[in-house]
Amino acid sequence: MAAILLVALAACSRSSDESATPSATVASTPPTTVQAGPAPGISLPNFVGLVKREGPAVVNISTLRAGRGGPREGDPFYEFFKRFGGVPEFGEAPQVGLGSGFIVNADGYVLTNAHVVADTDEVMVKLTDKREFQAKVVGVDRYTDVALIKIDAKNLPVVTLGDPNRLEAGEWVAAIGAPFGFENSVTVGVVSAKGRLLPNGSYVPFIQTDVAVNPGNSGGPLFSTRGDVIGINSQIYSQTGGYMGISFAIPIDIAMDVAKQLRETGKVVRGRIGVQSQELTQDLATALGLKEAHGVLVAAVQRGGPADRAGIIPGDIILNYNGKVVENPAELARQVSGTRPGTTVNAEVWRKGKSISVKIKVEELSA
């Protein structure tokens, strides 16, 4: 029987005062390259300079989740034990987790994965100079798997932030983290694809690489050969739960936008329009009078929701949202969620062989 592929989190466990956006330094000299041998025109990157320059801003994270004594309210056994003699204390052992992160602000703000620090009782951050700090969780966003934490320290080294849009498939990248607790480990590989959508409910356009990522790497930075961070290592695709040559990183521009909101308000606000959409196939497009399969098919509309009030009906094809072409349901979801609630946007809809324009007033997506 064929093994079932699963998306596995790369960390071992799940584990504000100012309102300015986390800062980072400007790009510096890129790594040098060395010739790869007899093949003319081919060179391999040398990440030594990058590691020396950017490595001090990468941190190791350890978390502790205290043991829970016995069943809690809502557990099927809770009422049974409560009725017949009281709820016992089973003394569940504390759970320890490992992860990575990187400093984005000299005053102690650190980016990592939500699944590294969420639902934990204690978060400890260890710097490369061996100093350790107890961290405060500023906020977590499970939709993107991004978390912002804060340590009480000043004048810290910070990473250089890059532009994921400059990445190309086949480009060399490097990760620094603590796989299995081996601190400050460096692994390298290439970008396999960009904008990869995963079947796990996430709308993040992941950067897919073949960089070795294992438990403990989660939350660590992914660097380009230009010496800047272009992603946060987040997930792996595996049959075993371990690295099998496919790993995924959250684009840093998405992560920094989330971090800004977490720092300012402690949460992330997203928009909604109240539709369920599905992929538009070429057969469906042809049947509905479109030459090419661009856009998404509206499968259902929430009664009384923003799209319903705008006049959108099931069977419509959303071609354009707020001035941007829509190619698939995940892309539409990202565009809608990134729209500030209360904003009125223009959308282009295909219906009965012609294009029509509608105005949609976006509402806030409740948690």
Side-chain angles (χ1 to χ4, degrees), residues 2 28 91 199 219 246-247 264 302 363:
S28 49
I246 302 177
S247 54
E264 292 175 349
Q302 180 192 27
E363 292 182 349

Side-chain angles (χ1 to χ4, degrees), residues 283-330:
D283 289 342
L284 278 172
T286 301
L288 294 171
L290 283 173
K291 293 181 179 180
E292 297 180 342
H294 292 308
V296 298
L297 180 66
V298 176
V301 178
Q302 180 192 27
R303 183 176 299 176
D308 185 33
R309 294 196 299 270
I312 294 177
I313 60 176
D316 284 349
I317 298 173
I318 299 177
L319 302 173
N320 185 293
Y321 175 86
N322 201 23
K324 296 182 180 179
V325 175
V326 176
E327 294 290 348
N328 54 61

Side-chain angles (χ1 to χ4, degrees), residues 125-348:
V125 170
K126 184 178 182 182
L127 308 184
T128 55
D129 62 10
K130 306 304 180 183
R131 287 185 294 166
E132 294 191 58
F133 299 87
Q134 185 165 346
K136 170 189 174 183
V137 178
V138 178
V140 299
D141 180 50
R142 298 179 191 271
Y143 280 94
T144 56
D145 196 24
V146 172
L148 183 68
I149 62 177
K150 174 76 166 60
I151 60 175
D152 187 13
K154 302 290 184 182
N155 302 316
L156 296 173
V158 298
V159 295
T160 303
L161 300 180
D163 181 5
N165 296 313
R166 296 178 61 189
L167 276 181
E168 298 289 344
E171 184 175 330
W172 284 91
V173 285
I176 304 179
F180 303 108
F182 293 105
E183 300 175 358
N184 311 115
S185 297
V186 183
T187 53
V188 301
V190 298
V191 175
S192 304
K194 293 173 56 180
R196 186 69 78 192
L197 303 174
L198 303 182
N200 63 351
S202 172
Y203 296 127
V204 174
F206 287 99
I207 302 166
Q208 179 187 334
T209 77
D210 66 355
V211 176
V213 171
N214 283 291
N217 273 115
S218 272
L222 182 70
F223 291 96
S224 74
T225 54
R226 291 173 289 277
D228 48 32
V229 176
I230 41 80
I232 303 178
N233 296 306
S234 174
Q235 302 187 25
I236 59 175
Y237 203 65
S238 175
Q239 292 176 308
T240 64
Y243 172 72
M244 294 186 69
I246 302 177
S247 54
F248 300 96
I250 305 159
I252 194 62
D253 53 348
I254 291 176
M256 290 302 293
D257 179 66
V258 169
K260 181 177 183 293
Q261 293 192 59
L262 291 176
R263 185 171 177 179
E264 292 175 349
T265 66
K267 66 176 184 177
V268 178
V269 176
R270 291 184 169 85
R272 60 176 290 273
I273 60 174
V275 299
Q276 290 183 358
S277 60
Q278 69 181 58
E279 194 82 26
L280 181 65
T281 66
Q282 185 59 57
D283 289 342
L284 278 172
T286 301
L288 294 171
L290 283 173
K291 293 181 179 180
E292 297 180 342
H294 292 308
V296 298
L297 180 66
V298 176
V301 178
Q302 180 192 27
R303 183 176 299 176
D308 185 33
R309 294 196 299 270
I312 294 177
I313 60 176
D316 284 349
I317 298 173
I318 299 177
L319 302 173
N320 185 293
Y321 175 86
N322 201 23
K324 296 182 180 179
V325 175
V326 176
E327 294 290 348
N328 54 61
E331 186 173 291
L332 175 63
R334 289 198 306 274
Q335 292 183 22
V336 171
S337 66
T339 305
R340 183 177 297 276
T343 303
T344 298
V345 300
N346 294 316
E348 182 183 356

